[in-house]
Amino acid sequence: MAAKLGNTLRLLRCVARRPVSCRRIFTTSYLRCEERPQFSGLKSDFTYKLSILDPDNEAGIPVYRVMNSHGEMTQDSEDPKIDKETVLKMYRDMTLLNSMDKILYESQRQGRISFYMTNYGEEATHIGSAAALHLEDLVFGQYREAGVLMWRGFSLDQFINQCYGNVEDMGKGRQMPVHYGSRDLHYVTISSPLATQMPQASGAAYAFKLKQNGKCVICYFGDGAASEGDAHAAFNFAATLDCPVIFFCRNNGYAISTPTSEQYRGDGIASRGSGYGMLTMRVDGNDVFAVYNVTKQAREICVKQNRPVLIEAMTYRVGHHSTSDDSSMYREKGEVVKFDTNNPIGRLRGYMARQGWWDDEDENKWREQCKKNVMEAFGKAEKRKKPSPVELFEDVYDEIPIHLQKQMDSLKEHLSKNGDKYPVQSHEVWS
Amino acid sequence: MAASAKTILRGFRRCGVLKGASRVTSLNIARAAHFTYVPDTPPTAYGDTTRMNLVQAINNTLDLTLATDPTAVLFGEDVAFGGVFRCSNELRDRYGTDRVFNTPLSEQGIVAFGIGLATAGSNAIAEIQFADYIFPAFDQITNEAAKFRYRTGNLFDCGKLTIRTPCGAVGHGALYHSQSPEAFFAHIPGIKVVIPRGPFQAKGLLMSCIRDDNPCIFFEPKILYRGAVEEVPTKDYTLPLSQAEVLLEGGDVTLVGWGTQVHVLLEVAKIAQETLGVSCEVIDLRTILPWDTETIAKSVVKTGRLLVAHEAPHTMGFAAEIAATVQSECFLNLEAPVERVCGYDTPFPHVFEPFYIPDKWKCVEGIKKLVNY
């Protein structure tokens, strides 16, 4: 039956292609209209065979990589041929971040800072992408992207001051540790609610498009955050409103204790891209050069075509979720070890050794230097006072409204009588 | 299911608005009127005036903003063709599809998109089609917009964000086309919440919101969109935020309201004078957050009695905040407990609307309680 119908349709299609006026042959015209779906918002054909699109039958989106786990370039044409100095900076930033993570993680264990989140295993996603961007491109992050800031020149002092919430913290000690931000480095301050930054990034990108300033926006998020409604809004707004934004997903296998098998059932995050009409790439997140290549490509698409791009970087969260988490409660030790041996730092080091740019002596010297620099910044940050309590009330609005002024005055008066019951000594004087 | 119901409702109301909008709407207002609109008289200082309804006043404000501020953009659901209430009528044609545009149907997306625009230097004017549908954006408003400047240590801010949204009873809006959610937002440090009582106020206050360097939510009482008509200055002007306005001076009772309820209270004052011989002082609060404590307290110090009325439910409505503050500021002056005449603690009903709203008769009873205490 279906075959017969198909033949008839083919015949009619032939008839229809002849230069015959539709008005004269009404039935042909009618069938011509029926030949292709006229529903708005579709570009598909009719099918006369019931078929179900089964994602299980689809091959997964391949993972793009440039070098293997020993740091050997697998295909010369894909070699970004980054100069020695830049590669050394990539390596130094990744390892410095690693050293800072170790020391700040330990300091939290000792109760010296209240909270910390390490970046173990994901250093290449930060550095590879940051290196491919322009400094003026605006970054919206989640919280595990400290390497991007490091690449852009955020100093150890600035990182550690924020974690201590001391007078030198640009955030004025108001947010939890690792909620970094820098206006000079075009890095929008991190906030805890997941995925909220995503549709904001789309909006910022739209503003850039209107200004025609040649900049793009990059927005980092984890595979867990991608389940939030805001992720959906962000993708759809960026696509329909033609925003020059790169969505960079760090798919590290876990959202705290939740493995990706409980996070989604599709082919990761990348498979969602085409559903929104976005150009999409999946990359080996432990390969800093592959990450660099895809981000560079994405940036070009953004600024030249005003189109969003989705990048999914496959990686593994080597460390605990945060200092408030013990990941041995929900994953096997062997699993972590397996991924740690394929870590991004080792791979880049392999590459550098092969180039003759780095040897064991360089490594030892650099590691010592890192440790020394972090400890120095740490010591300074710890000694600094916290900001004056007046900062509790500033910046709620651009100016302090009357009711808030009254509350501020009442705290000041309260402290004048009860100062001995508060840690006033560790804060700057309320002038 | 919930989503599809919402879509059906939207389709329904769009049809209603599109087909003979003015006739249908004015008919509905006539049927449902629980107030008599009292036109404002704009001060002569603002120059030439034109008769405008609330929709036209909003449209005019947006028009002036887009004309004078090249960074200003206007967006939301269905704003491109003019908006379901016609507030953005003709603006796309005048300023281009890049500056006046539709977004996908997602309130959390709209507000967040606006925050991003504002952060990157645009003057973002977002529309939420009905205040009832602002809740999907609650997280973006309370956790993001309101805290942006504070948490970044003033490195970044989204002060150039204004969210406009129609609110309040409309005669037949039932649960999801009638809400007055201002009290939810009054509990959020970092934002400003503003409600005008008519076209002249709307233009001046909206202009202030758009220019204010803090994220603002501007609630537009939709029952006034077409029903409220008055002379509005054609030029650019602003009215101050966080300042209440004394509309009628009196010596016995202070009446405080905002939005449509101000017109109810003006009539109540008249009835109270005529039937009870009670002299009422009527105050339009105008800004819910940060609100003008001083003007209210000064009035209560004089009258010794306070009645606050709002359409939103009683428990934890904004009247509670006013009552608590006034009793603390004016304890020795109060002659009677503060009276609150509000919506009941129920969802906003369809056929029971005439029984639900805090109409003039309920307010008059409230005044009797105050003076007979």
Side-chain angles (χ1 to χ4, degrees), chain A residues 55-68:
Chain A
D56 292 347
N57 294 339
E58 307 282 314
I61 297 168
V63 184
Y64 169 76
R65 57 155 46 176
V66 171
M67 58 181 174
N68 64 21

Side-chain angles (χ1 to χ4, degrees), chain A residues 183 191 206 211 392 397-398, chain B residues 98 120 144 150 155 191 214:
Chain A
R183 185 156 194 92
S191 72
Y206 191 90
K211 286 184 185 173
L392 190 165
Y397 295 91
D398 60 338
Chain B
D98 276 355
E144 294 291 323
Y150 189 76
L155 292 178
I191 57 167
N214 298 284

